[in-house]
Amino acid sequence: MPESIQPNAPRRDALEELQLALREQQVILDTAGVGIVFIKNRLVVRCNQRFGQIFGHSDAAAILGSTSPSLYPDDLAAHALAEAAYPAMAQGLTFKSEVLMKRHDGSSFWAHLTGKLVNPADPLEGSIWIVDDIDEQKAAQAQLQSVLTEQNLILDNAMVGIVFLRNRIATRCNQRFETILGYEPGELHGVSSRQWYLTEQEWIGAEPRWQAPFAAGHAFEGEIRLRKKDGTAIHCEVRAKAINASDPEQGAIWITMDITARKTAETELLQARADLEKLVEIRTLELSRTVMELEKKAAEQKMAEAHIQRLAHFDALTGLPNRLLLNDRCQQALSVAQRGHQSVALMFLDLDHFKNVNDSLGHRVGDEVLVQLAARLKAVVREQDTVSRLGGDEFILLLPDTDAPGAAHLAEKLLQTALQPILIEQHELTVTPSIGIALYPKDGTDLDTLSKCADAAMYRAKADGRNGYRFYTAQIQAHSDRMLLLDNALRRALERKQLELHYQPQIALMSGQVVGAEALLRWTHPELGAISPAEFIPIAENNGLILPIGEWVMRTATRQLSTWIARGMAPITMAVNLSALQFRQPNLPQLVTRILEDAALPPQLLEIELTEGVAMTHPLEAVAVMNELHQRGVRMAIDDFGTGYSSLSYLKKFQVYKLKIDQSFVRDITEDPDDKAIVGAIISMASSLGLQTIAEGVETEGQLEFLRARGCNEAQGFYFSRPLPTQAFEDFVRKP
């Protein structure tokens, strides 16, 4: 029997080995951490459990028989992979790639594929693929890339220099760090930090400074001198920290700011302080010598010193404390108020129209008014209060332990006291003050600040009608700031060509024809926009710019009229307003003639408008100037007639051609009996004196009819036209 089965023994051994190999293979498949699949004729014929799990199956058997294209998002993707893999696998090579695949539920995921043909000589025997799910890895890589991109944006746009150092070698830095040291992009990569230290000693000595903070997990902060590429030394403020305090090999990040300019300024300041201290030392020595000399003559100089002391601290005219003594008392009052949490009031008092007293009655009378007023002010205040005179007609009152109600009560008393007549020789005078009030600590903590605030409030009191008081407010400060802003901007407006003229037509009421134009100044600032003349003209008058601006207005207006006439426009009158400061120019008649000659314009076509106030402030001088302008052929008109104060005796002497009726009377002439009477009287009086009349501010048909019925000669206003730019005015005149 053994002999009969002997030949089959090798066959059994081979079969057992095959079964063993298959079992081992199955164990490998079942325990592999990756998916393994055998594809034949584009079908899944065998796979391990992990492969089924990767594609969303709980059992690998569920995926058997699936087509290989169904494992990809679409047929196009499956085809693309086959075209990429086949050339390599046909040569017996292993194909590897990262591709998007599709799970059983239709969701896509990233997988790493490794594929090889079972028999490259016969592709029909199929292929074996290893599939590794790397979807989470790809997501992590994408997130890492996003973080790195954001980090690069921060580095590239930071306003400070940032550099990463590992073993004192630059592994990375931003462009700002390169710019600070004067290097081109990329030049510092991989460079030792020794390159940007001035000396070897400074480079070596720098390390111990930051080692201890780094080891403790703290940041190092300090100032370091560094060297730019061109060798220039710069001062830098640095902040650095180890990336991982427990592992110095990971390096550190350094944030650097160039503070060279600041250090230079500090050095210059220290030098200036040293120079000042030296100068003080010299002056102190000189004063010491002077004191020694003065001590020799102490007895002789005692009376003189007392007199000098009084002059130094008191106003010579009124005997009131001057600003020096006021400053000393203010410091004491504020110090006491600070300790006791008290309020202090500061009043700035200025007399209204006091210049008229000096101009009309002389400075001797004006000085006596100030002396009597000073005595009245002292009589009203308390003993602990200080009344001081700054100069001219300006007074400052310092009121310790006084709040807003108390300051208001005193201001009312001051206004009533000032209203009492002042008798000087044969004159009985009444002066009114405008008062501004500032409070400590709300409005300021020193004399300069408080006096500026009170001064601004005083100007608001004047603007609101005078003979009153105002407390300082944020609105007043805003107004003051705007006035300063406009003052500065106006000084460059002319040269920057921000000024222009608009022209308002003047209409003859009988014919309806345009017989004149009033030149009106306009200012458009590139940032502030259009600025009202009512706002900037007073500023120009206060700072003296009204002279060059006024001359520019007259030149521009006369040249424009000359240009219009040359183009065929019928001659009309050009009206130009003149301020008080312009009218008082000693060479005004000569200037006007020169401007007319430059424009080649007949003088009778220019009409200069003056307000009543300008004409009547100095009537005798006004008569002389008007006479000379009249002799030169220039026409004169009184603007805003009826709003000021006029003397008919002087009005007869003025060489006036026309009266302009103010729009405040015209506005309500169809309804207000008083305005009707005033306008009618002005027209009648002008007619009897042989003067022309023009009404401004005409806006309605009713106003126009009233003026025409009363015999007014001309009118202007929105009823006819707003002020127009140059070309628009020409079009208005030429329209049929």
Side-chain angles (χ1 to χ4, degrees), residues 593-608:
T593 297
R594 189 162 60 251
I595 290 174
L596 288 168
E597 290 174 349
D598 292 344
L601 189 71
Q604 65 271 18
L605 295 184
L606 175 62
E607 185 175 289
I608 293 179

Side-chain angles (χ1 to χ4, degrees), residues 216-369:
H218 300 150
F220 165 74
E221 296 182 20
E223 294 181 6
I224 298 178
R225 282 199 321 159
L226 299 180
R227 183 183 67 173
K228 298 179 68 172
K229 182 179 180 181
D230 61 6
T232 306
I234 60 172
H235 288 270
C236 290
E237 187 175 83
V238 299
R239 180 181 176 88
K241 192 171 184 181
I243 295 174
N244 186 347
S246 61
D247 185 7
E249 292 300 318
Q250 293 187 26
I253 180 172
W254 292 73
I255 299 175
T256 307
M257 182 183 297
D258 185 356
I259 59 168
T260 304
R262 189 182 80 191
K263 296 294 288 187
T264 301
E266 291 174 354
T267 302
E268 292 175 352
L269 180 61
L270 290 174
Q271 183 60 47
R273 182 179 296 174
D275 294 342
L276 180 61
E277 291 175 352
K278 184 64 177 178
L279 182 61
V280 169
E281 183 181 346
I282 294 173
R283 292 290 182 267
T284 302
L285 181 60
E286 293 175 352
L287 287 173
S288 299
R289 294 171 180 170
T290 302
V291 170
M292 292 176 63
E293 294 175 0
L294 289 175
E295 286 177 349
K296 296 178 183 178
K297 302 179 180 179
E300 300 175 5
Q301 295 296 323
K302 188 174 182 179
M303 293 289 295
E305 287 176 1
H307 180 63
I308 291 172
Q309 182 74 4
R310 180 159 187 84
L311 290 177
H313 292 88
F314 293 89
D315 175 51
L317 176 64
T318 62
L320 296 176
N322 60 15
R323 189 175 185 89
L324 183 63
L325 182 55
L326 172 67
N327 185 60
D328 183 59
R329 291 186 180 179
C330 186
Q331 289 181 1
Q332 296 178 24
L334 296 181
S335 178
V336 172
Q338 183 181 25
R339 291 194 300 271
H341 303 289
Q342 299 171 345
S343 178
V344 177
L346 190 84
M347 289 187 179
F348 198 112
L349 186 148
D350 182 273
L351 299 182
D352 301 328
H353 304 299
F354 183 72
K355 186 176 183 297
N356 294 339
V357 176
N358 283 331
D359 292 346
S360 302
L361 303 177
H363 287 278
R364 184 178 60 81
V365 174
D367 287 349
E368 183 60 28
V369 169

Side-chain angles (χ1 to χ4, degrees), residues 501-668:
L501 293 183
H502 285 193
Y503 303 90
Q504 187 167 35
Q506 296 176 330
I507 311 298
L509 296 188
M510 295 303 295
S511 65
Q513 298 295 312
V514 178
V515 295
E518 182 178 8
L520 298 169
L521 184 60
R522 296 292 183 262
W523 178 21
T524 304
H525 190 274
E527 284 84 29
L528 302 176
I531 301 167
S532 168
E535 194 173 19
F536 73 80
I537 291 296
I539 295 174
E541 291 175 339
N542 287 334
N543 62 20
L545 288 174
I546 195 66
L547 294 180
I549 290 177
E551 180 177 342
W552 177 86
V553 169
M554 189 175 292
R555 285 190 182 278
T556 304
T558 53
R559 286 175 179 170
Q560 185 57 61
L561 179 57
S562 182
T563 300
W564 281 332
I565 294 173
R567 292 178 181 172
M569 182 188 292
I572 60 175
T573 301
M574 179 62 71
V576 177
N577 292 280
L578 227 60
S579 72
L581 195 60
Q582 291 174 275
F583 189 66
R584 288 198 294 268
Q585 291 181 92
N587 63 337
L588 177 64
Q590 295 82 357
L591 175 62
V592 172
T593 297
R594 189 162 60 251
I595 290 174
L596 288 168
E597 290 174 349
D598 292 344
L601 189 71
Q604 65 271 18
L605 295 184
L606 175 62
E607 185 175 289
I608 293 179
E609 293 187 358
L610 297 171
T611 63
E612 285 183 272
V614 172
M616 293 303 301
T617 301
H618 300 287
L620 294 178
E621 291 85 342
V623 168
V625 174
M626 288 183 178
N627 285 339
E628 187 168 354
L629 288 170
H630 178 73
Q631 291 169 6
R632 293 170 183 262
V634 178
R635 293 180 175 181
M636 306 292 297
I638 298 296
D639 192 13
D640 301 336
F641 189 78
T643 61
Y645 52 94
S646 299
S647 168
L648 294 181
S649 62
Y650 276 114
L651 190 58
K652 291 191 302 181
K653 297 178 182 179
F654 290 159
Q655 293 291 346
V656 177
Y657 169 75
K658 185 185 295 182
L659 298 183
K660 176 174 278 191
I661 304 170
D662 187 68
Q663 60 182 340
S664 62
F665 301 124
V666 175
R667 185 178 301 113
D668 297 322

Side-chain angles (χ1 to χ4, degrees), residues 369-566:
V369 169
L370 295 175
V371 170
Q372 292 195 31
L373 180 65
R376 292 184 183 182
L377 297 178
K378 288 183 64 178
V380 172
V381 302
R382 303 167 301 180
E383 183 178 353
Q384 66 265 35
D385 299 332
T386 298
V387 180
S388 65
R389 177 177 178 240
L390 298 187
D393 59 332
E394 295 179 340
F395 297 85
I396 285 186
L397 284 71
L398 175 66
L399 312 171
D401 194 16
T402 302
D403 56 11
H409 177 69
L410 179 59
E412 294 284 0
K413 292 175 62 178
L414 293 174
L415 292 173
Q416 292 300 320
T417 299
L419 280 176
Q420 299 174 13
I422 296 176
L423 301 178
I424 302 175
E425 299 173 355
Q426 74 276 20
H427 304 292
E428 182 176 311
L429 304 174
T430 300
V431 293
T432 60
S434 293
I435 303 172
I437 306 172
L439 297 174
Y440 166 90
K442 179 174 71 72
D443 300 327
T445 56
D446 57 72
L447 176 60
D448 284 344
T449 305
L450 289 170
S451 60
K452 287 178 183 177
C453 294
D455 187 35
M458 181 272 294
Y459 275 106
R460 173 52 61 91
K462 285 188 178 292
D464 290 346
R466 306 177 189 272
N467 190 26
Y469 67 90
R470 293 290 182 272
F471 282 91
Y472 173 79
T473 64
Q475 290 78 9
I476 290 176
Q477 182 61 50
H479 176 76
S480 178
D481 292 344
R482 179 167 173 83
M483 290 303 100
L484 178 61
L485 176 65
L486 293 181
D487 186 293
N488 292 329
L490 188 58
R491 296 179 185 276
R492 309 298 297 274
L494 193 58
E495 66 181 74
R496 291 176 176 173
K497 303 187 185 306
Q498 296 170 0
L499 301 179
E500 63 175 329
L501 293 183
H502 285 193
Y503 303 90
Q504 187 167 35
Q506 296 176 330
I507 311 298
L509 296 188
M510 295 303 295
S511 65
Q513 298 295 312
V514 178
V515 295
E518 182 178 8
L520 298 169
L521 184 60
R522 296 292 183 262
W523 178 21
T524 304
H525 190 274
E527 284 84 29
L528 302 176
I531 301 167
S532 168
E535 194 173 19
F536 73 80
I537 291 296
I539 295 174
E541 291 175 339
N542 287 334
N543 62 20
L545 288 174
I546 195 66
L547 294 180
I549 290 177
E551 180 177 342
W552 177 86
V553 169
M554 189 175 292
R555 285 190 182 278
T556 304
T558 53
R559 286 175 179 170
Q560 185 57 61
L561 179 57
S562 182
T563 300
W564 281 332
I565 294 173

